[in-house]
Amino acid sequence: MIAVVGHPDLTAPTLALLEEELRRRLASLARAGRAGLVRAGQGLPVVVGRAARAAGLALVTVLPARGGVPEVLTAQDRRAAGELLLLSDQVRLLEYDPTDRDACVGADESLLRSCARLLAVWDGSPSSGRDATAHLVAFARSSGVDVEILWPAGAGRTAPAV
């Protein structure tokens, strides 16, 4: 399984750049019989889903749940989750509160434990109170997960890196 994580504030042009780059990278993983894994949300997860579909890579989307019932997402994340559900080969429920940053980080850590590789869309900046990408890269490396960093030339974020 290959997880993909990244900054939540990627610009629209960056997401467009990433879709093609991810499609190329995921195509080689599809030939190896792997599957991609994303946690439902807007932005990068949807781009990963589109790229996985174009590359022929099976996609697993994780939805937050409470008591075995899917959690209500924000309006923007609901729209993104809807598209991801259509692109996915499998959907998993995971117990966590999608409005709690620490719960989301814990969910991502749990998912990384089941992965052989992490593709991280990361500019190298440290984790902040909002963005845990650096933490997830460090967590994956310390857990023995192969990490590949993606930050294409011209990539940018809507919020300044801290």
Side-chain angles (χ1 to χ4, degrees):
M1 189 82 60
I2 298 94
V4 184
V5 301
H7 298 297
D9 59 353
L10 298 169
T11 64
T14 297
L15 291 170
L17 280 172
L18 286 167
E19 190 165 343
E20 180 58 27
E21 177 66 21
L22 284 165
R23 187 198 57 73
R24 281 194 300 273
R25 290 177 190 245
L26 295 176
S28 65
L29 298 169
R31 288 189 294 275
R34 301 286 179 111
L37 176 71
V38 294
R39 189 166 48 80
Q42 63 181 326
L44 182 61
V46 174
V47 168
V48 171
R50 291 173 185 161
R53 174 63 67 183
L57 181 76
L59 180 68
V60 177
T61 297
V62 176
L63 292 175
R66 189 168 303 178
V69 176
E71 274 287 324
V72 175
L73 299 170
T74 65
Q76 292 170 323
D77 284 338
R78 274 195 305 271
R79 179 179 294 272
E83 183 174 349
L84 282 165
L85 292 175
L86 293 172
L87 294 168
S88 294
D89 297 280
Q90 183 180 18
V91 176
R92 293 184 186 169
L93 296 179
L94 183 63
E95 297 281 327
Y96 73 96
D97 177 355
T99 64
D100 180 334
R101 178 195 179 272
D102 291 338
C104 291
V105 172
D108 286 335
E109 289 174 352
S110 173
L111 295 172
L112 287 174
R113 287 185 189 100
S114 67
C115 293
R117 170 177 251 164
L118 170 66
L119 295 178
V121 178
W122 182 44
D123 65 0
S125 63
S127 288
S128 66
R130 210 175 130 248
D131 182 353
T133 306
H135 168 80
L136 294 171
V137 167
F139 178 85
R141 286 178 173 155
S142 71
S143 300
V145 175
D146 182 33
V147 176
E148 185 176 349
I149 305 299
L150 302 175
W151 193 253
R157 298 172 62 188
T158 59
V162 179

